[in-house]
Amino acid sequence: MNGNITLTMIKPTAVKNGYAGPILAMINQAGFRIQAMKFMKLSKEQAQKFYEVHKARPFYKDLVEFMSSGPIVAAILEKENAVEAYRELIGATDPSKAEKGTIRHRYAGNIQENAVHGSDSDENAIIESDFFFSRVERY
Ligand code: CMP
């Protein structure tokens, strides 16, 4: 069965460039309900933990540096079939391959600074949501 939540982060460059508002508007317009949201800066250790599954990848170190370089917006988004629906809205990981009209096509700089993160499975959506939010921070 498909789950109804996904976890997103609006990444440091997108926040710095003033895209948090326009990205949240696209999320809203696409029919996602925000269950939880926070504006925060990840520590290096937190970024390492969040992206632990990519530890062996050559881009891991740079990714951790980047994700802890400035504030992000983290949010739990609710919609039927949320993981897949959100991945469609954000487009391909590499923004040069993202379809027109997607968040990454509009707001991403490159494959690392790709504007937003979206969970890649229902299982990870739950793990990632628990990483950022406690029970009393969800509505
Ligand atoms: P995200 O959706 O946050 O999940 C993992 C992140 O790793 C991804 O977005 C990119 O920011 C980054 N990433 C994935 N592949 C590459 C790559 N080939 N080079 C650099 N960064 C990458």
Side-chain angles (χ1 to χ4, degrees):
M1 200 184 118
N2 293 327
N4 68 344
I5 60 162
T6 190
L7 186 283
T8 190
M9 290 185 282
I10 302 177
K11 298 189 177 188
T13 324
V15 169
K16 199 164 108 190
N17 290 338
Y19 299 149
I23 289 171
L24 288 169
M26 284 180 76
I27 288 169
N28 186 34
Q29 226 148 31
F32 290 88
R33 193 181 78 80
I34 294 172
Q35 269 192 14
M37 183 160 67
K38 59 174 69 164
F39 182 56
M40 63 177 290
K41 188 167 178 286
L42 289 169
S43 68
K44 207 168 156 182
E45 291 71 28
Q46 286 171 320
Q48 279 169 343
K49 176 121 182 51
F50 186 90
Y51 282 115
E52 207 164 22
V53 288
H54 297 301
K55 206 171 178 169
R57 310 288 285 273
F59 56 80
Y60 177 71
K61 198 167 170 281
D62 280 352
L63 180 62
V64 165
E65 287 295 331
F66 166 59
M67 288 304 295
S68 56
S69 68
I72 59 152
V73 175
I76 302 175
L77 308 178
E78 180 187 321
K79 193 184 182 177
E80 198 179 313
N81 202 8
V83 167
E84 207 181 306
Y86 191 57
R87 288 174 76 80
E88 254 176 55
L89 178 66
I90 67 182
T93 306
D94 181 350
S96 69
K97 298 188 179 118
E99 277 196 50
K100 226 176 152 189
T102 60
I103 290 176
R104 283 173 172 155
H105 185 268
R106 276 192 204 167
Y107 298 116
N110 57 55
I111 194 166
Q112 177 174 273
E113 302 188 24
N114 59 353
V116 289
H117 167 80
S119 306
D120 65 1
S121 66
D122 291 337
E123 193 191 356
N124 282 336
I126 291 165
I127 294 169
E128 292 173 2
S129 296
D130 289 345
F131 177 89
F132 280 105
F133 300 100
S134 71
R135 278 259 153 261
V136 294
E137 293 174 308
R138 302 178 191 202
Y139 308 96

